[in-house]
Amino acid sequence: MKVQPFTELRHVRSIKRLLVDSPRDKLLFVMGVNSGLRVQDLLAVRVAAVRGLKLGDRISIQEKKTGKPNVLIANKEILAALEEYLAIAQPEDRHYLFKSRKTANSPLTTLSVTKKVKAWAAAINLKGNYGCHSLRKTWAYHQRREFGVSWEVLAKRLNHSNPSVTLRYMGVQDEEVEQVLMNTL
């Protein structure tokens, strides 16, 4: 079953509040819902790549799934969460940004992130199917709903080669299509 996005901004805010005492997990959530990148690509980022970032700075990323180049841009939400995490955790530059606590220097796994996302959703009493890909889908969903970003721009950002995949991410519902049919010319 496909995972779903967090469609309500109040749920996004609730999860951020939930994670206030866990700066690493808060940064992971914030980067996920603010970048549109796959979790596996976020997990590959090392501390050296993000230390000293300023608003609007970009990090080049090579997507693991597609091999295509992509970029992470530091917006104000990402920067705030990053600065908080780096100040508290004081990780070494060679470490993964989302370092697992179980091994010396390896990143979290996508399975562990999926478990975290499911737990966050449950903690705020959300029913549904959530997982690590919910973060990327949340970004796409709200880019369209809140900011009116076109599906073409979203497809390019998400590096989708098939428009139908992007349309699924955007969460277009039958009711929305039917409402358009009420428009008159």
Side-chain angles (χ1 to χ4, degrees):
M1 179 182 210
K2 303 283 185 195
V3 298
Q4 60 198 89
F6 296 103
T7 58
E8 301 287 332
L9 285 176
R10 64 188 170 92
H11 296 149
V12 172
R13 289 189 295 272
S14 293
I15 292 173
K16 286 181 192 177
R17 282 192 302 275
L18 176 72
L19 300 175
V20 73
D21 292 328
S22 181
R24 181 198 63 181
D25 291 352
K26 181 180 176 187
L27 175 60
L28 177 61
F29 180 76
V30 166
M31 284 180 85
V33 299
N34 278 280
S35 70
L37 292 172
R38 290 179 185 88
V39 165
Q40 64 184 351
D41 296 325
L42 291 175
L43 296 177
V45 174
R46 298 210 184 231
V47 172
V50 297
R51 194 178 300 281
L53 281 181
K54 293 175 184 53
L55 187 63
D57 283 354
R58 47 194 305 132
I59 299 168
S60 294
I61 303 240
Q62 181 87 13
E63 290 185 350
K64 285 188 175 198
K65 180 178 179 179
T66 66
K68 295 177 185 176
N70 210 326
V71 65
L72 170 67
I73 295 183
N75 68 22
K76 66 180 183 175
E77 285 285 317
I78 291 172
L79 267 184
L82 179 63
E83 289 170 1
E84 178 185 352
Y85 171 68
L86 293 177
I88 291 169
Q90 299 182 344
E92 296 178 29
D93 281 354
R94 65 183 179 84
H95 285 164
Y96 286 98
L97 185 60
F98 301 107
K99 189 168 126 4
S100 170
R101 294 183 179 120
K102 294 181 179 177
T103 58
N105 185 28
S106 61
L108 293 170
T109 64
T110 54
L111 178 59
S112 66
V113 175
T114 290
K115 289 177 182 177
K116 287 176 180 296
V117 173
K118 286 180 182 299
W120 301 336
I124 63 167
N125 297 314
L126 277 182
K127 306 289 185 244
N129 190 31
Y130 298 95
C132 67
H133 218 55
S134 293
L135 306 181
R136 178 172 161 94
K137 286 185 172 185
T138 298
W139 178 85
Y141 180 88
H142 288 288
Q143 289 301 313
R144 180 181 79 87
R145 292 298 297 234
E146 302 297 322
F147 304 107
V149 176
S150 70
W151 73 267
E152 297 94 343
V153 171
L154 291 173
K156 181 160 177 62
R157 169 64 186 135
L158 296 167
N159 267 337
H160 287 160
S161 53
N162 187 334
S164 66
V165 176
T166 307
L167 291 174
R168 278 199 318 265
Y169 274 50
M170 293 169 41
V172 177
Q173 302 295 317
D174 289 340
E175 297 82 24
E176 191 175 349
V177 173
E178 290 171 7
Q179 187 175 5
V180 170
L181 295 173
M182 293 301 294
N183 295 343
T184 57
L185 303 177

